[in-house]
Amino acid sequence: MTDRCEPQLPPVPSYHRSNLSQYEGMKAHAGLYNEIKLPKYSKSPSGKKIPKGFRTINAPSEELKSLQSELMDALQAHGVGIHPAAHAYRRSRGICTMAKNHVGKKHVIRVDLKDFFPSVTVSMVLRALPADVPKALVTMIKNWCFLDGVLPQGAPSSPLLSNIALYQLDRDMQELADNWRFAGVAKRGTYPAKLTRFHPITYTRYCDDLVFSSDYRFMTHIIPKIRALISDHGLKVNEKKIIHSTYSGRQYVTGVVVNEKMSAPRAMRRFLRSEMHRVAMDVVFGRCPQMRKVDETGAELPLNPDKPDHPFAVYQGKVAHIKHINPEQGEKLESLLNILIEVHTLDRDQWSDATSEYVLNRKDTSK
């Protein structure tokens, strides 16, 4: 009885930048991707993570990743079309430029696309590519940037190709928003009808998150049209994530509060302040592992090696995120964090003055 060996899949050739001709006539296969199951979370307003199953990431090998990046550089040289309403995966754009368009609107509607990357197929991308893109480049993109006919989540080429594929959807959504007319109702006994003030609708998209906003009070009437357009383009709506928020409650766009101005959620700021306060109290009561002792060689040693260091880098990242959304809110938290970090470098006899300054700054940030 002989053992059957599985056929060996060809590896991607050794990558050489600007030498794409060596990849013609070949194509990627599943063996070049590393399937990773990452925990999937939903976030509460405070930023706490709530477990929500797993997300499948298909991470390409280093050689394939380099090739896909090179193909995208070559594609962008031909001036690919990305709609102005798209804010994800673009230089100088992000969650803040997206949220800024919806500040101060009375009604905000958010629509989420279901299974975004696996829903973008080869045909959707090829139809959207400009006519002047060389056929050889189109063929290589088709062969090397897709897995089982769809965009793999985790490949560096998928973000740009998804924006290209959804250009026509963005265009149709923008046209829908621009042509949605609101005729007022004639007052009883008057003729002709007196029209109310026209309220324009703003449309933007961040990856799979479509957002519409306006002061029009019957804004929800546009939702069936949105569903129909999404279905016409071969995509599906995540019905659980269709959210209509009014100015009387919290309005979120890409995690940013947009009621009157762009702001980080209050629960997120309070949670971060409470975490930093917990670390400060560890200093006061001598429980903080970040305080160092020096051994005979002058090397610093933790006070309690059994405990991990406090995550100052995590706090700095969260403060930077809040500062990016709202500089005023971020600067207050940054001053508080800087004092907290400084306290960890002081001797015990200096803690009193430092902690007093920390308490005063903490009261100021709570406003």
Side-chain angles (χ1 to χ4, degrees), residues 97-242:
T97 59
M98 168 92 164
K100 187 177 181 180
N101 291 277
H102 304 282
V103 173
K105 301 296 179 65
K106 291 184 177 179
H107 300 271
V108 176
I109 292 177
R110 289 165 27 214
V111 179
D112 189 79
L113 301 179
K114 188 176 183 180
D115 299 329
F116 180 61
F117 284 112
S119 298
V120 181
T121 63
V122 175
S123 59
M124 292 171 62
V125 174
L126 298 187
R127 283 198 306 265
L129 289 177
D132 62 339
V133 178
K135 291 184 178 180
L137 179 58
V138 173
T139 302
M140 282 191 287
I141 290 173
K142 178 181 177 181
N143 291 340
W144 290 104
C145 297
F146 292 87
L147 180 62
D148 298 330
V150 299
L151 289 179
Q153 187 170 355
S157 54
S158 295
L160 176 61
L161 293 179
S162 67
N163 272 342
I164 295 172
L166 267 65
Y167 177 84
Q168 190 59 48
L169 174 65
D170 290 332
R171 186 176 178 180
D172 291 345
M173 289 296 180
Q174 188 67 65
E175 185 177 351
L176 173 66
D178 292 341
N179 295 332
W180 194 262
R181 294 292 184 261
F182 321 121
V185 179
K187 290 185 177 180
R188 189 183 300 274
T190 61
Y191 186 84
K194 183 178 180 181
L195 298 181
T196 61
R197 183 171 64 88
F198 173 69
H199 297 295
I201 297 177
T202 302
Y203 164 71
T204 58
R205 179 179 63 83
Y206 192 93
C207 187
D208 58 352
D209 197 7
L210 284 63
V211 180
F212 300 79
S213 65
S214 177
D215 290 338
Y216 179 48
R217 63 175 178 169
F218 300 117
M219 183 72 175
T220 53
H221 292 183
I222 201 174
I223 293 178
K225 292 284 188 181
I226 296 172
R227 280 198 188 96
L229 275 178
I230 292 174
S231 179
D232 290 344
H233 285 269
L235 300 170
K236 295 181 180 179
V237 176
N238 189 340
E239 296 292 340
K240 295 180 180 179
K241 292 187 177 181
I242 297 180

Side-chain angles (χ1 to χ4, degrees), residues 219-273:
M219 183 72 175
T220 53
H221 292 183
I222 201 174
I223 293 178
K225 292 284 188 181
I226 296 172
R227 280 198 188 96
L229 275 178
I230 292 174
S231 179
D232 290 344
H233 285 269
L235 300 170
K236 295 181 180 179
V237 176
N238 189 340
E239 296 292 340
K240 295 180 180 179
K241 292 187 177 181
I242 297 180
I243 299 173
H244 171 226
S245 52
T246 65
Y247 62 96
S248 60
R250 288 279 181 232
Q251 296 173 316
Y252 293 95
V253 174
T254 57
V256 180
V257 179
V258 294
N259 287 71
E260 297 178 355
K261 60 181 180 180
M262 288 200 304
S263 174
R266 182 179 298 173
M268 177 189 293
R269 290 180 279 128
R270 284 180 173 174
F271 181 73
L272 180 57
R273 279 201 307 269

Side-chain angles (χ1 to χ4, degrees), residues 294-301:
V294 180
D295 63 7
E296 300 80 13
T297 62
E300 291 183 340
L301 296 174

Side-chain angles (χ1 to χ4, degrees), residues 10-40:
V12 61
S14 179
Y15 174 75
H16 298 287
R17 186 171 179 83
S18 301
N19 186 18
L20 298 177
S21 59
Q22 63 176 320
Y23 304 100
E24 293 182 4
M26 304 176 64
K27 64 187 301 182
H29 50 76
L32 297 176
Y33 289 90
N34 181 25
E35 185 175 300
I36 304 172
K37 295 282 187 180
L38 294 180
K40 192 175 181 181

Side-chain angles (χ1 to χ4, degrees), residues 326-340:
N326 188 308
E328 183 181 356
Q329 294 173 348
E331 287 170 2
K332 289 181 178 180
L333 290 169
E334 188 176 40
S335 63
L336 189 66
L337 180 59
N338 289 338
I339 295 172
L340 183 59

